[in-house]
Amino acid sequence: MLAETIFSAVSVAGLGIAAITAYRKRFLAATRIAAYALVPIGLVMTGAVEWAFDTAFSPTAWAGFGVLGAAWALFMTSRAIERRRAGRKQAERGEMPGAVAPAASAPSLGAGQRGATPKPQAKTAGDDFSDIEAILKKHGI
């Protein structure tokens, strides 16, 4: 009963603020304020406020939420265990799609590059600045 009164008073105050805002010729803001002000009274009229307060102060309702939480925790635990077991069985059978073969620890190189190391090319001082000159010429500098 007290909650309905408070929510109704909040709605009336909000509608008063909306009226003052409309008087100041800010109609869009007044419409938005009026929409927000009507929400609490709408909740009172639908009975949602009474239901929420009955639920919030009911020990039976809180026990029900606890039971639902325990059921959710058991469900998620069983799913996690089921997934771990399925993963182990697939690994034992060698069916894992992302599994790496034991001999695959060496890096895979192309056929022509297997023992060859790349040789560094000797650059002269003029080669180093030719790239910079090309960029400057491109931009007209």
Side-chain angles (χ1 to χ4, degrees), residues 93-115:
R93 288 188 235 139
E95 297 177 1
M96 294 292 285
V100 178
S105 62
S108 60
L109 298 173
Q113 295 179 351
R114 286 203 184 211

Side-chain angles (χ1 to χ4, degrees), residues 8-24 30 33-34 37-38:
S8 299
V10 167
S11 287
V12 169
L15 290 174
I17 292 170
I20 292 170
T21 307
Y23 178 75
R24 294 180 182 170
I33 292 169
L38 291 174

Side-chain angles (χ1 to χ4, degrees), residues 79 108 124 128:
R79 293 274 301 174
S108 60
T124 62
D128 291 339

Side-chain angles (χ1 to χ4, degrees), residues 54-129:
D54 287 344
T55 303
F57 296 114
S58 170
T60 306
W62 283 106
F65 285 127
V67 169
L68 287 174
W72 178 81
L74 288 172
F75 177 72
M76 295 308 289
T77 303
S78 67
R79 293 274 301 174
I81 291 171
E82 182 181 30
R83 286 182 180 176
R84 289 187 83 179
R85 284 186 181 168
R88 285 183 186 161
K89 287 180 182 177
Q90 284 180 352
E92 288 172 1
R93 288 188 235 139
E95 297 177 1
M96 294 292 285
V100 178
S105 62
S108 60
L109 298 173
Q113 295 179 351
R114 286 203 184 211
T117 58
K119 296 179 183 176
Q121 296 180 352
K123 291 187 176 181
T124 62
D127 289 339
D128 291 339
F129 293 110

